[in-house]
Amino acid sequence: MRAAAEPAQLDRMFFALADFHRRGMLDRLSRGPASVSDLAGPLGIALPSAVKHLAVLERGGLVASEKVGRVRTYKVEPRALDAMEAWVARRKKLLNAQFDRLEAYLASQANKSSRR
Amino acid sequence: MKNIPSTHADFVIVREFDATPEAVFMAWADPQAKQSWSDCHAENTIEYRLDFRPLGHETHHVAFPDGRVQQIEKVFFDIVAARRIVFAYEIRIDARLLSASLVTVEFFATKRGTRMVYTEQLAYLDGHEDREVRMRGTEEGLDRLGLALLRH
């Protein structure tokens, strides 16, 4: 598996996510590629502002763009949305939640025996 | 149907517990204890069985409210009390095999109690074209970032 992201890259990623409009753009892009105007319209923001937000998302490694003719199209960075990684992330999350409950269970057992 | 190659991943989860390796091992071995912390007690479970011995199976079927059915089938290979459990498991959603894994869980005595090391080696099989998984990608990505944040 890919190594964990560098701290500086994580900073850029979190900065990119720390904005309502940029999260809205990611949400829209998760349904498929889109142009700047596709993305700006629903959010009610001006095109130059949308371009700035997209540059931040791109630096954060969350989106990739490609210029075809005069139109630049944005899409979610495929590696960030890899199906297997999403699956592994979900498995890990479920396992950690179970191990939290295991910890609570073990603590409750320890309480029981100390009260005896 | 396009033949999409399998992909592979491995990951390790390390947890520390204020309990002896014997107590942590028993929480995996005893069906009642296991049900108190694992997902098998959760709502929507329609079938659960645990036969904790080498080549014994653990079966867990879940019917989600949206109609999907998830089947988890596990086979234990190596069981060494208070030390190690080795098992393999597969996950099917609507009978489609999404992943098959080999898992080694080891228990090490520490000053605090037990360090549990869970190592999973996973083959991801028929989920690559799963549009639904892709659609949920952003949400998962955000979850993953949340987890990354917690660990930094």
Side-chain angles (χ1 to χ4, degrees):
Chain A
M1 255 184 110
R2 199 150 43 101
E6 293 294 314
Q9 179 57 27
L10 272 181
D11 287 347
R12 285 192 290 274
M13 205 179 248
F14 282 112
F15 178 72
L17 287 166
D19 179 89
F20 171 77
H21 288 127
R22 292 197 284 271
R23 288 196 299 273
M25 288 172 157
L26 272 183
D27 188 44
R28 165 63 188 84
L29 288 171
S30 72
R31 295 194 291 275
S35 68
V36 179
S37 50
D38 291 339
L39 291 161
L43 295 169
I45 55 176
L47 287 185
S49 168
V51 168
K52 277 182 197 162
H53 281 311
L54 285 161
V56 174
L57 285 169
E58 203 161 3
R59 280 199 296 277
L62 294 160
V63 307
S65 70
E66 192 185 19
K67 198 168 186 182
V68 179
R70 293 174 57 197
V71 180
R72 185 170 285 279
T73 304
Y74 288 83
K75 61 181 182 179
V76 171
E77 168 61 51
R79 285 197 311 176
L81 270 184
D82 180 83
M84 181 193 73
E85 285 192 22
W87 177 250
V88 169
R90 181 181 308 151
R91 295 303 309 156
K92 284 171 83 171
K93 192 177 152 191
L94 288 171
L95 285 164
N96 271 304
Q98 292 188 52
F99 296 155
D100 288 345
R101 290 199 296 272
L102 172 57
E103 187 167 11
Y105 167 80
L106 291 167
S108 73
Q109 293 300 105
N111 285 341
K112 260 190 219 163
S113 55
S114 67
R115 260 189 244 121
R116 266 177 213 148
Chain B
M1 207 176 117
K2 255 200 305 181
N3 183 6
I4 297 162
S6 62
T7 54
H8 303 84
D10 54 76
F11 63 89
V12 181
I13 298 176
V14 181
R15 300 289 295 248
E16 297 264 354
F17 299 115
D18 297 319
T20 61
E22 288 75 15
V24 182
F25 175 83
M26 277 314 293
W28 284 80
D30 178 70
Q32 274 192 318
K34 181 88 193 280
Q35 283 191 62
S36 70
W37 62 268
S38 72
D39 275 342
C40 49
H41 77 295
E43 53 182 332
N44 306 326
T45 290
I46 50 175
E47 190 175 351
Y48 178 71
R49 288 193 303 269
L50 172 61
D51 182 15
F52 190 75
R53 57 178 172 169
L55 300 185
H57 284 236
E58 184 175 4
T59 302
H60 183 211
H61 294 180
V62 176
F64 293 107
D66 63 8
R68 285 177 306 137
V69 174
Q70 175 182 276
Q71 297 166 281
I72 298 182
E73 192 68 30
K74 188 183 285 188
V75 185
F76 296 98
F77 289 122
D78 191 35
I79 295 176
V80 184
R83 205 181 123 204
R84 182 171 71 210
I85 302 167
V86 181
F87 59 89
Y89 77 105
E90 62 164 36
I91 300 186
R92 288 176 188 272
I93 292 182
D94 294 338
R96 196 161 54 125
L97 182 57
L98 283 194
S99 67
S101 299
L102 178 68
V103 176
T104 308
V105 189
E106 289 169 289
F107 310 101
F108 300 100
T110 61
K111 266 189 200 154
R112 186 180 149 185
T114 301
R115 184 169 74 249
M116 183 181 86
V117 181
Y118 175 104
T119 306
E120 176 160 345
Q121 296 162 288
L122 175 149
Y124 188 66
L125 301 162
D126 289 338
H128 292 281
E129 292 273 278
D130 191 331
R131 187 166 159 71
E132 200 187 3
V133 169
R134 277 175 194 278
M135 296 279 276
R136 277 202 295 265
T138 301
E139 187 194 326
E140 295 297 337
L142 294 178
D143 287 345
R144 192 159 70 240
L145 289 171
L147 291 172
L149 180 65
L150 289 174
R151 273 149 209 186
H152 271 79

